[in-house]
Amino acid sequence: MSLAAKVMAGDRLALARLLTQIENEELVGLDCLSDLYPHTGRAHLVGVTGAPGTGKSTLVNRLVLHMRSVADGKEAEPATVAVVAVDPSSPFSGGAILGDRIRMRDLAGDPGVFIRSMASRGALGGLARATAGMVQALDAVGFDIILIETVGAGQAEVDIARTAHTTVVVSAPSMGDEIQAIKAGILEIADILVVNKADIPGADNTLRFLRATLQMARPMRYGRGDHIRDQMEADGVMWEPSVLATVATQGDGIESLSQEIARHRAHLRASGEWAVREGERIRSEMELLLREHLTAQFMTRQPDGRFEEALERVIARKLSPRQAIASLLEGEG
Ligand SMILES: Nc1nc2c(ncn2[C@@H]2O[C@H](COP(=O)(O)OP(=O)(O)OP(=O)(O)O)[C@@H](O)[C@H]2O)c(=O)[nH]1
Ligand SMILES: [Mg+2]
């Protein structure tokens, strides 16, 4: 049986192996992913992002437990859930992965749950690509909901969160996260805002601050001239991001969060935004692949040292970047 067939038959070991191949960008894994691609497109992809230590993993763990314990909509069975946790592997947080795994132990043995941690070694661009690939594989095998945990510290993480249908941004009181979140442009991508650690004094301030900021940011959020969105705004079917308080360690607010995630999915479906986001997602994935492919092709065709030579001339201000690229491209033909 081929790897793709095994994975589709529900072989978890084969799935784990495939995810490793995708993470390492091995050709066999990427080919297998192409075979699985026609089966993707059904899962609800939910990004959970926020500053380090805000409680994302604890929250995700609780969410999974909750989602596995309630019926999914009209269907009698609970939704099946997969988690992809992207852990920054700085020397200081090396223990985080182990910690996450221990917290996830409650879920071991449930065939409706699959959890995968990956360390962010190497380039973040590669990480975003690997994450997208792993999510596609989990989508293809039929998980209803895929939670993607990333540390929202910069643009690369924001890009990962952007591959989701629904983005949950997690803050915690008195950590200066609010400012950081705005800096990283993370508020703009939030469909749901969570103030976790609501048991800590100061949580009310954070809630108020985020609600006020959201009000101010709103006119800018969809002001990009996208006519479908403009029309949706005019029709009054625009999603209003909500701000929820949770205490992940105690499970407080988890049910509301889970319901809000489901409500957002229903909104995306009903408004047509699901298809819009799907189109944007796939377009940016294809454009990224094309860019990488063309760049790699161009670089391999360059005689040794020619690009570096041009780079030096740009650094010395003898050429502009535009002129340098134009002359390199000219030299090609
Ligand atoms: N007081 C309080 N502590 C919490 C709450 N949720 C999580 N914590 C604690 O906060 C710490 C960080 O929790 P994690 O779930 O690992 O946070 P994280 O955002 O996943 O962290 P990174 O993945 O390292 O960015 C742990 O010690 C948790 O027990 C909460 O609601 N209240
Ligand atoms: Mg975590």
Side-chain angles (χ1 to χ4, degrees):
M1 219 199 289
S2 72
L3 183 58
K6 278 187 192 157
V7 167
M8 288 305 287
D11 182 336
R12 291 170 77 92
L13 227 58
L15 176 60
R17 197 165 349 117
L18 172 63
L19 294 181
T20 303
Q21 290 171 351
I22 294 169
E23 185 173 1
N24 297 333
E25 310 209 270
E26 287 172 53
L27 219 53
V28 279
L30 299 180
D31 285 343
C32 180
L33 195 54
S34 293
D35 293 340
L36 295 181
Y37 195 76
H39 302 284
T40 64
R42 286 198 322 237
H44 182 200
L45 313 185
V46 180
V48 178
T49 193
T54 45
K56 298 176 296 295
S57 297
T58 315
L59 205 61
V60 163
N61 189 32
R62 287 285 185 172
L63 264 178
V64 176
L65 282 169
H66 178 78
M67 286 165 169
R68 291 300 296 154
S69 70
V70 295
D72 182 26
K74 278 154 272 172
E75 293 161 46
E77 289 290 303
T80 54
V81 190
V83 176
V84 178
V86 183
D87 271 290
S89 66
S90 90
F92 305 106
S93 66
I97 297 169
L98 188 62
D100 284 351
R101 288 211 177 123
I102 288 170
R103 277 197 292 280
M104 296 294 188
R105 132 195 97 184
D106 306 346
L107 298 163
D110 179 349
V113 172
F114 193 95
I115 290 157
R116 177 70 180 222
S117 273
M118 60 194 285
S120 60
R121 44 196 152 74
L124 275 164
L127 184 68
R129 206 163 45 232
T131 306
M134 289 164 95
V135 166
Q136 278 167 14
L138 292 163
D139 182 356
V141 304
F143 285 99
D144 298 317
I145 302 173
I146 303 172
L147 299 167
I148 308 154
E149 179 192 337
T150 63
V151 177
Q155 189 57 46
E157 291 81 2
V158 170
D159 286 345
I160 294 173
R162 208 170 252 151
T163 65
H165 297 113
T166 301
T167 302
V168 179
V169 174
V170 184
S171 300
S174 43
M175 285 183 59
D177 293 338
E178 306 88 23
I179 312 297
Q180 213 182 325
I182 293 163
K183 263 196 207 147
I186 250 175
L187 277 188
E188 278 77 2
I189 60 161
D191 299 303
I192 300 166
L193 279 150
V194 169
V195 176
N196 188 43
K197 306 196 185 184
D199 54 324
I200 287 179
D204 286 352
N205 283 335
T206 309
L207 276 167
R208 257 196 308 277
F209 176 86
L210 286 177
R211 287 193 176 118
T213 311
L214 215 54
Q215 280 295 312
M216 290 189 301
R218 236 192 88 62
M220 288 158 46
R221 286 169 55 87
Y222 299 102
R224 299 198 192 110
D226 181 322
H227 65 275
I228 298 173
R229 285 184 174 145
D230 287 350
Q231 191 54 50
M232 281 163 46
E233 183 121 57
D235 294 345
V237 290
M238 211 64 214
W239 176 259
E240 299 275 352
S242 46
V243 186
L244 305 177
T246 59
V247 183
T249 40
Q250 258 123 65
D252 296 349
I254 299 302
E255 187 172 3
S256 304
L257 176 56
S258 177
Q259 284 168 355
E260 195 65 1
I261 290 169
R263 201 170 72 81
H264 188 247
R265 177 186 53 185
H267 162 82
L268 291 176
R269 291 286 198 195
S271 65
E273 173 98 0
W274 181 281
V276 174
R277 287 195 183 201
E278 204 61 2
E280 282 173 357
R281 241 159 40 78
I282 294 169
R283 170 185 292 273
S284 69
E285 186 179 353
M286 285 178 65
E287 285 177 351
L288 180 69
L289 280 173
L290 182 63
R291 221 166 18 245
E292 284 175 348
H293 183 77
L294 290 176
T295 305
Q297 220 177 39
F298 171 80
M299 288 302 193
T300 51
R301 279 204 302 260
Q302 289 293 310
D304 270 355
R306 199 154 169 267
F307 186 88
E308 270 62 35
E309 215 172 274
L311 175 65
E312 286 306 322
R313 296 188 66 197
V314 174
I315 292 169
R317 302 306 193 267
K318 288 183 180 130
L319 276 182
S320 77
R322 260 174 68 92
Q323 288 168 327
I325 295 301
S327 93
L328 287 174
L329 283 169
E330 222 165 74
E332 276 226 294

